Amino acid sequence: DIVMTQSPDSLAVSLGERATINCKSSQSVLYSSNNKTYLAWYQQRPGQPPKLLIYWASTRESGVPDRFSGSGSGTDFTLTISSLQAEDVSIYYCQQYYSTPWTFGQGTRVEIK
Amino acid sequence: EVQLVESGGGLVQPGGSLRLSCAASGFTFSSYSMNWVRQAPGKGLEWVSYISSSSSTIYYADSVKGRFTISRDKAKNSLYLQMNSLRAEDTAVYYCARGRYSSSSGPLDYWGQGTLVTVSS
């Protein structure tokens, strides 16, 4: 199984400041035959189901604000919130869909400082 | 508008069975793969099972293999999860989630609100 490890487990950021979340996979999730990276990011607000933010490591889902961006390749990935808003208080998960079982990171809690 | 509505959760004794349902609307159900993902209280997300659009491909997490069965009904636009031999560690909110593609791997682009399954005596 591919193990997904996120860091940090939690972070507190001031409104308007940048938040950066890291995700590392135990093996590459780049599929060489199509050059696609099978990595997604989800946001889970309190009491809500997860919401897809980013897929193919860096493609923003329709309707997601452009302050959210994804980057990285191979085994190391980053979700960046360029200017934190109050509504961004959530737990964020990375997920690999390269091979079953699909696996998620343990989550990173983002709070307002 | 895409909607996924889960039902069938509840309290069940260890060793018991439960069948979850997910009613889909707002999209062509038969064109998308579907998944079940669970979240134990206060914990992270765990993928449980996948079924392709045609039901030809099915996958399970090792933790539920042999005990859970995923299925879908095109006529009823519904996804199901038959859960047998339930254990305390199966206690979780179970989410129905749509796969982006019909049969190839992709992100989970829509999620239901979830249904709580509690396994306890």
Side-chain angles (χ1 to χ4, degrees):
Chain A
D1 298 3
I2 298 177
V3 177
M4 308 298 290
T5 304
Q6 292 181 227
S7 61
D9 288 334
S10 65
L11 74 161
V13 176
S14 300
L15 288 172
E17 295 300 305
R18 178 184 300 260
T20 302
I21 300 168
N22 301 300
C23 173
K24 187 175 183 67
S25 57
S26 61
Q27 65 185 75
S28 175
V29 295
L30 170 65
Y31 195 39
S32 55
S33 65
N34 61 10
N35 201 35
K36 287 192 169 186
T37 300
Y38 286 58
L39 189 285
W41 288 96
Y42 300 86
Q43 174 192 53
Q44 187 174 31
R45 292 186 171 116
Q48 294 296 311
K51 172 189 173 184
L52 177 64
L53 295 177
I54 303 285
Y55 58 101
W56 302 131
S58 61
T59 301
R60 195 179 303 114
E61 176 71 340
S62 176
V64 172
D66 60 7
R67 64 179 180 274
F68 290 93
S69 63
S71 63
S73 62
T75 61
D76 291 279
F77 306 95
T78 300
L79 175 70
T80 301
I81 309 172
S82 61
S83 176
L84 192 75
Q85 305 300 303
E87 61 265 32
D88 300 336
V89 169
S90 301
I91 299 176
Y92 294 86
Y93 295 93
C94 61
Q95 179 228 354
Q96 65 81 19
Y97 46 97
Y98 178 87
S99 66
T100 57
W102 319 144
T103 47
F104 293 87
Q106 80 276 18
T108 295
R109 184 183 300 273
V110 174
E111 300 172 323
I112 304 296
K113 185 187 290 183
Chain B
E1 178 195 6
V2 172
Q3 282 200 318
L4 299 169
V5 180
E6 302 93 338
S7 61
L11 175 63
V12 61
Q13 292 189 338
S17 299
L18 216 51
R19 188 195 195 207
L20 305 184
S21 300
C22 171
S25 61
F27 66 102
T28 304
F29 181 69
S30 60
S31 295
Y32 291 86
S33 59
M34 297 296 296
N35 297 263
W36 289 99
V37 177
R38 68 185 180 183
Q39 186 169 36
K43 302 298 184 183
L45 301 168
E46 179 189 14
W47 169 80
V48 172
S49 185
Y50 161 96
I51 185 168
S52 63
S53 59
S54 65
S55 301
S56 60
T57 302
I58 288 174
Y59 300 121
Y60 297 100
D62 284 348
S63 57
V64 306
K65 200 173 295 181
R67 301 187 298 122
F68 289 12
T69 302
I70 192 171
S71 62
R72 61 192 295 163
D73 186 328
K74 176 182 174 180
K76 295 183 178 180
N77 283 351
S78 291
L79 175 72
Y80 305 100
L81 187 68
Q82 177 66 44
M83 304 187 296
N84 298 330
S85 303
L86 283 162
R87 306 166 180 167
E89 54 264 35
D90 296 318
T91 294
V93 173
Y94 284 73
Y95 294 104
C96 162
R98 191 182 82 167
R100 173 60 51 93
Y101 308 112
S102 61
S103 59
S104 58
S105 182
L108 307 180
D109 60 1
Y110 286 93
W111 297 61
Q113 289 294 316
T115 187
L116 176 63
V117 172
T118 303
V119 184
S120 175
S121 54

